[in-house]
């Protein structure tokens, strides 16, 4: 059994509130939401961080962005705006070392982020 939480969620060994799934990615609701909408778009492939991407992963990472945009529309976030974030490394707040895209929206977003 994988030690990685998101591999286990992808494999349905750990339950999650699934909002999207295809052959390359799943999207779930964050267990500790930081905004009214807080989704995580997770590739099925285990890649620890952005720094571990290979050239071959370019299409996959683009796909994650397209899924985030589709979900933003479904969550009716186009007009108010939303944020798409990848944390890389503990210093930037990454806590699960399986790369993922946060989709945050439904409240005003400050800049710069904390
Ligand atoms: P990171 O901090 O690595 O950028 O993002 C990890 C995210 O995963 C956090 O926002 C955290 O709340 C979320 N998370 C951690 N454990 C679980 C879980 O078991 N289920 C779900 N749905 N989200 C989780
Ligand atoms: Zn993993």
């Amino acid at each position: 059994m994988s030690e990685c939480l998101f591999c286990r969620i992808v494999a349905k060994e750990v339950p999650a509130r699934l909002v999207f799934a295809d052959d390359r990615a799943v999207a779930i609701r964050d267990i500790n939401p930081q905004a009214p909408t807080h989704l995580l778009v997770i590739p099925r492939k285990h890649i620890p961080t952005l720094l571990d991407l290979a050239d071959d992963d370019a299409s996959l990472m683009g796909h994650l962005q397209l899924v985030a945009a589709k979900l933003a529309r479904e969550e009716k976030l186009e007009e108010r705006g939303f944020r798409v974030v990848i944390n890389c490394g503990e210093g930037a707040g990454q806590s699960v070392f399986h790369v993922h895209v946060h989709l945050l929206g439904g409240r005003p977003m400050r800049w710069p982020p904390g």
Side-chain angles (χ1 to χ4, degrees), residues 48-89:
T49 81
L50 206 67
L51 293 171
D52 300 302
L53 294 175
D55 288 349
D56 277 1
D57 297 317
S59 161
L60 175 62
M61 296 308 288
H63 182 62
L64 302 185
Q65 302 288 338
L66 288 169
V67 171
K70 168 189 149 63
L71 295 172
R73 284 193 194 91
E74 284 180 15
E75 297 279 320
K76 310 264 181 260
L77 297 174
E78 307 102 298
E79 286 198 5
R80 291 184 68 188
F82 55 91
R83 191 163 289 169
V84 172
V85 175
I86 298 176
N87 296 322
C88 186

Side-chain angles (χ1 to χ4, degrees), residues 5-6 9 14-17 28-34 38 40 85-88 92-98 100 102:
L5 174 63
F6 285 174
I9 285 177
V14 170
R17 292 177 64 197
I28 61 173
R29 292 202 185 275
D30 198 290
I31 205 167
N32 181 24
Q34 302 301 310
H38 187 172
L40 304 171
V85 175
I86 298 176
N87 296 322
C88 186
Q94 186 174 5
S95 59
V96 178
F97 284 78
H98 176 134
H100 51 281
H102 294 258

